[in-house]
Amino acid sequence: MTTEELWQAVLAQIQLNISPANFATWFKNTEIINLKDGEVIVSTPNSFAKEWLEQKHNRTIFKILHGLDETIKDVKYVVGRPALKVLTRAWSAPSNNQLEFAEFKTDKETNLNPRYTFENFVVGPFNELPHAAALAVSEGPGSVYNPLFIYGGVGLGKTHLLQAVGNEIVKNFSKKKIKYISAEKFTSGVITSIKNQEMEAFKSRYRQIDILIIDDVQFLAGKEKTQEEFFHIFNALYEKNKQIIISSDRLPKVIPALAERLRSRFEGGMLADISSPDFETRVAILKTKAKERRTELPDEILDYIASQIQKNIRELEGALNRLVVYQKLQNRAPDIETAKLLLKNILMSPPKVATPAKVIKEVALFYDLREKDLLDASRKREVVYPRQIAMYLLRSELKCSYPFIGRRFRGKDHTTAIYSFEKISKELESNEKLADEITLLKERVYEH
Ligand code: ADP
Ligand code: MG
């Protein structure tokens, strides 16, 4: 079992005991990032989730972990994850000392992770073109498509494909200098170099690269200084026929605040998009992944998953993982009814729209209040403040009228709504904690 599977096992049990909304709110994007000397480190996406898990769920989490592995003595929670985490860390169950998963380490020089290859990349009509282009580039870097610009939605295989090109080039051209970097990481590199007055060294490092792979370039939107540095590096490499490979979640022309000259550079090469996988390919991907995990699940179940998750391969994998864990713990495959039950939380995804009811529900959940208290006349501070935030969100996100907002809160009049909106707006300018809370709330309000 890997730490990932260990955490999946914890989630699977917790999920049975709390409401789906609660589960999604506090356990989304959590994972075990380390397990050493009996201490488990769980990473959480933000400080609210961290505190919440520490205060409300630590005992249960510990009990489950300890039940799965007696050597576990302590659980700690941290915010965020280290940037260069080893993607899959092997963890061996005490009862079974054999490692089930190969250990994949990200190379420090290239940032490439050997788990992403062409061999385990499933090709279908939806990604045929980017795949073919990527393959061609890996056979003749700098000579076919330059730059190669791959775009498509979240979880559809952009990073996998970019990394596969890198890994293939390492294999075929061992002397070439390759670097994979996310645009986000590149940006922080630029900022640090400016701060430490090391910009020249930074640039010259990049100019020595033969193959530069930049992931999620949409992140450069609005970052003028970084764009400028990137532009110069791009030109220097391009003129020397060095290969540049880029991914983005959208076409260059719809990346906001992207300098015209960079846009035209991006558009000057090959643009290839990954769309959504068709049903057959989804099943094929599930089969490949199950095989990688050395498990086999009945076709009926794979078909079920593929029919339910259509737009995101990462989610497809997440669903499969749940079932693989079940299978490993129970030593048998789940039947279709059990599978449906195990996947219930993952699959509940009504359309992404915010409604007043959703705003109120999420605010109540976030501040651990009952909706009734939030809506009623209570003047307790712990209620008044969240109520003002709810009113603020109704106005800012849903453009509700002030009288409407007042009525929602058991007959308060519109001046209360105006006051709340203005108070929170003003406070937002200087209160960072509040700004973070509002950001998180907005995410939740729009989430499925
Ligand atoms: P993106 O970068 O587009 O958000 P990723 O490359 O991170 O997506 O892919 C998400 C997950 O789905 C990864 O685990 C990846 O291995 C897997 N995946 C995506 N596309 C494929 C594919 N065509 N074949 C096999 N696995 C895939
Ligand atoms: Mg990615």
Side-chain angles (χ1 to χ4, degrees), residues 115-116 120-123 126-127 152-161 215-216 274 281 285 288-289 312-314 317:
R115 77 181 278 233
Y116 296 114
N120 62 11
F121 189 80
V122 178
V123 185
F126 76 108
N127 63 6
V154 193
L156 290 176
K158 300 183 296 295
T159 298
H160 189 137
L161 199 52
D215 205 353
D216 289 320
I274 305 188
T281 318
I285 291 172
T288 311
K289 300 282 173 192
N312 186 324
I313 297 173
R314 188 173 300 126
E317 243 183 305

Side-chain angles (χ1 to χ4, degrees), residues 388 391-392 395 402 415-429 434:
Q388 288 171 342
M391 289 185 175
Y392 167 84
R395 178 71 187 175
Y402 290 123
T415 54
T416 314
I418 296 175
Y419 172 78
S420 298
F421 178 74
E422 287 177 352
K423 173 167 178 277
I424 298 292
S425 304
K426 182 129 205 321
E427 220 180 304
L428 266 177
E429 290 167 15
L434 174 65

Side-chain angles (χ1 to χ4, degrees), residues 362-374:
E362 292 298 332
V363 171
L365 194 64
F366 194 84
Y367 293 102
D368 198 20
L369 300 168
R370 289 182 304 170
E371 282 181 39
K372 185 173 162 304
D373 295 332
L374 194 63

Side-chain angles (χ1 to χ4, degrees), residues 50 84 105 131 169 219 253:
K50 172 175 177 278
L84 270 185
K105 278 210 171 84
H131 171 262
I169 297 179
F219 188 82
K253 70 165 187 269

